[in-house]
Amino acid sequence: MDKLIIEGGVPLTGVVHVSGSKNAALPILMGSILLDEPVTYTNVPDLRDIRTTFKLLELLGCPNAFENGQVTVTPGALSPEAPYELVKTMRASVLVLGPLLARLGEARVAMPGGCAIGARPVDLHLSALEKMGARFDLEDGYILGRCRKLNGAHIHFDFPTVGGTENLLMAAALADGETILENAAREPEVVDLARFLIACGARIEGHGTSVIRIQGVPRLGGCTYRIMPDRIEAGTFLVAAGITGGELLLRHCPFTELEAVILKLQSMGMDITATPDGVLAKCGCPLRGADISTQPYPGFPTDMQAQIMALMCLADGASVVEESIFENRFMHVLELMRMGAQIKVSGHTAMVRGVSRLTGAPVMASDLRASASLVLAGLAARGVTEVRRIYHLDRGYERIENKLNAVGARIRREAE
Ligand code: UD1
């Protein structure tokens, strides 16, 4: 296991290239299962979850070769089983359910179970697929799904689930007839998946709104597809500029997709502008506190909650953070407090009182975005911060210490 050792206090300045989006790439790569021709993807980030996805695709009968951000996946004779060893390391593996049912009429996918940020059930995925004619049993910890042929259906999600909408989009693309998804997720990553499926021949309308209509087609072919840039990685670098009092130019930064985050950072005193070369972020210090409530897109993303909280720790005045999406997503709080932050949690709400400085400390990363928040706090802290268990970070950030060091940070990776 590796740890990061961060010497804080250096304002970051320079240019950062935003990588391809992990959360867009995962469902799009799983979408290869739907195709009967090879497909090539570009701008694929080199991350642990992406490598896990390639292993999973290989096991399911879709060989692939990944190099320099590019991969060609060649769908072959499919096998229906996603084993526990892979699913337990990456919950998004459940996204193979829809494609496997659509292609094979059968899927055996290990039940994902809980994770550090909450229970995260998949009941909405299963009940929606049942409406399309699938039947599910739980057998030896595996979800066993079967269907003769998926049929189009009218589905209303109780909650705009991102993964559920993605699973259903893929299932419906090859189903018989029309599927209507109501209260669908509007996240940019869902839109990227829809665009990919359309490039392969799917008939989809309304992606990016809460009602998506899909006309099933008999087959989908290959294409070459460029994955969208990662709005959460970009948002994390915007906070890095703010928290260190630096100035960063983010190339390939999705601006519209980050609007809720950018508006909030601007209200805290950051200067963020879209320029022809990229998004320029500076800190118009001193920062002011702000209130956020995490919401489905276009609201403030839960995946940026931990990072903006690190910034709030050093802003003037009080900030209130309400986490509305996940029930247990404040695990960074105790670690931030070990660095001198003043935060009180009550249920789903955290109250942050800004302090004038954080001090370096050994801290433990508990999940992906919590890890990012600790790295950000370490960049601003006086002294040395050791962030342990950074395998979480490697699931979602491509070469984070290299990217940060290139703009002035002092970070070393060491084996624990
Ligand atoms: C995706 C993202 C994750 C992000 C989240 C919310 C990927 C790989 N992951 O996760 O980074 O934080 O969206 O923006 O893209 N729920 C149920 N039943 C279900 C499905 C979801 O109760 O069947 C609940 C979950 O427990 C959670 C909430 O709905 O509390 C949001 O889940 P969902 O939108 O499905 O998130 P994911 O797709 O898991």
Side-chain angles (χ1 to χ4, degrees):
M1 239 185 271
D2 289 350
K3 62 182 175 186
L4 290 185
I5 299 168
I6 306 168
E7 283 175 58
V10 187
L12 302 186
T13 51
V15 179
V16 177
H17 292 261
V18 177
S19 296
S21 161
K22 168 181 87 80
N23 285 356
L26 293 176
I28 290 174
L29 290 170
M30 314 277 191
S32 315
I33 297 168
L34 293 165
L35 314 181
D36 51 20
E37 282 171 6
V39 52
T40 299
Y41 304 99
T42 61
N43 204 32
V44 181
D46 191 355
L47 302 167
R48 212 159 60 97
D49 277 6
I50 297 291
R51 297 265 173 187
T52 306
T53 303
F54 289 139
K55 265 190 225 158
L56 183 57
L57 285 173
E58 185 94 46
L59 280 179
L60 295 174
C62 300
N64 51 81
F66 180 44
E67 211 176 345
N68 294 329
Q70 183 164 325
V71 63
T72 296
V73 182
T74 309
L78 295 173
S79 137
E81 178 157 333
Y84 179 62
E85 285 63 40
L86 291 182
V87 178
K88 75 174 181 207
T89 65
M90 189 183 68
R91 298 190 76 265
S93 310
V94 77
L95 292 171
V96 300
L97 205 52
L100 284 175
L101 284 171
R103 277 310 292 286
L104 279 183
E106 187 186 356
R108 207 175 122 80
V109 179
M111 189 75 183
C115 75
I117 61 174
R120 296 180 86 172
V122 290
D123 55 318
L124 302 174
H125 302 226
L126 301 187
S127 58
L129 288 166
E130 275 174 352
K131 284 223 162 108
M132 298 184 72
R135 291 286 160 265
F136 294 102
D137 291 300
L138 194 62
E139 200 182 85
D140 307 326
Y142 278 73
I143 301 166
L144 194 58
R146 285 199 190 89
C147 61
R148 239 187 260 140
K149 178 85 181 100
L150 289 175
N151 296 310
H154 196 138
I155 291 158
H156 181 96
F157 287 112
D158 289 344
F159 178 86
T161 158
V162 174
T165 304
E166 292 167 345
N167 236 333
L168 268 289
L169 256 181
M170 293 190 275
L174 285 181
D176 270 349
E178 183 182 56
T179 299
I180 301 174
L181 304 178
E182 278 183 4
N183 201 23
R186 291 181 281 166
E187 267 68 4
E189 295 76 15
V190 173
V191 174
D192 211 29
L193 172 64
R195 287 193 181 132
F196 160 69
L197 293 170
I198 291 168
C200 296
R203 291 176 57 199
I204 301 173
E205 282 172 12
H207 41 295
T209 77
S210 49
V211 182
I212 307 180
R213 286 172 186 271
I214 307 118
Q215 305 287 342
V217 294
R219 65 170 290 274
L220 292 171
C223 71
T224 295
Y225 195 78
R226 184 174 173 83
I227 307 289
M228 68 174 283
D230 196 311
R231 64 191 170 108
I232 305 301
E233 189 204 25
T236 304
F237 281 108
L238 293 179
V239 174
I243 205 164
T244 63
E247 179 172 333
L248 293 177
L249 179 70
L250 304 194
R251 288 209 207 277
H252 317 297
C253 174
F255 194 80
T256 322
E257 291 84 349
L258 260 176
E259 194 177 28
V261 174
I262 290 174
L263 287 175
K264 200 50 80 173
L265 293 174
Q266 286 170 332
S267 81
M268 293 179 75
M270 279 190 71
D271 189 357
I272 301 175
T273 40
T275 76
D277 291 332
V279 174
L280 187 64
K282 300 186 229 181
C283 185
C285 293
L287 292 164
R288 299 179 288 276
D291 298 341
I292 61 158
S293 171
T294 61
Q295 297 292 336
Y297 190 83
F300 192 93
T302 173
D303 284 353
M304 278 300 299
Q305 180 257 105
Q307 299 91 314
I308 202 166
M309 193 187 288
L311 191 65
M312 289 167 171
C313 289
L314 288 167
D316 280 348
S319 300
V320 178
V321 176
E322 189 196 1
E323 174 54 60
S324 325
I325 308 291
F326 291 110
E327 68 267 33
N328 188 22
R329 208 170 196 183
F330 281 142
M331 277 165 312
H332 42 287
V333 167
L334 283 176
E335 303 300 303
L336 288 170
M337 288 174 72
R338 301 190 65 250
M339 300 177 71
Q342 284 195 16
I343 308 170
K344 243 192 198 149
V345 173
S346 169
H348 288 246
T349 305
M351 275 149 290
V352 184
R353 193 176 293 278
V355 294
S356 58
R357 92 163 93 100
L358 295 173
T359 46
V363 288
M364 191 84 90
S366 53
D367 69 68
L368 171 53
R369 308 303 169 184
S371 320
S373 139
L374 298 174
V375 169
L376 291 166
L379 288 171
R382 184 174 289 188
V384 176
T385 299
E386 272 188 32
V387 184
R388 297 182 179 164
R389 294 206 184 160
I390 55 145
Y391 58 88
H392 294 292
L393 204 62
D394 294 335
R395 286 186 39 220
Y397 289 89
E398 192 175 33
R399 299 178 289 106
I400 191 165
E401 72 269 32
N402 298 357
K403 285 194 182 187
L404 288 168
N405 285 343
V407 290
R410 289 181 297 211
I411 307 182
R412 281 192 328 272
R413 181 181 286 252
E414 277 184 12
E416 268 191 67

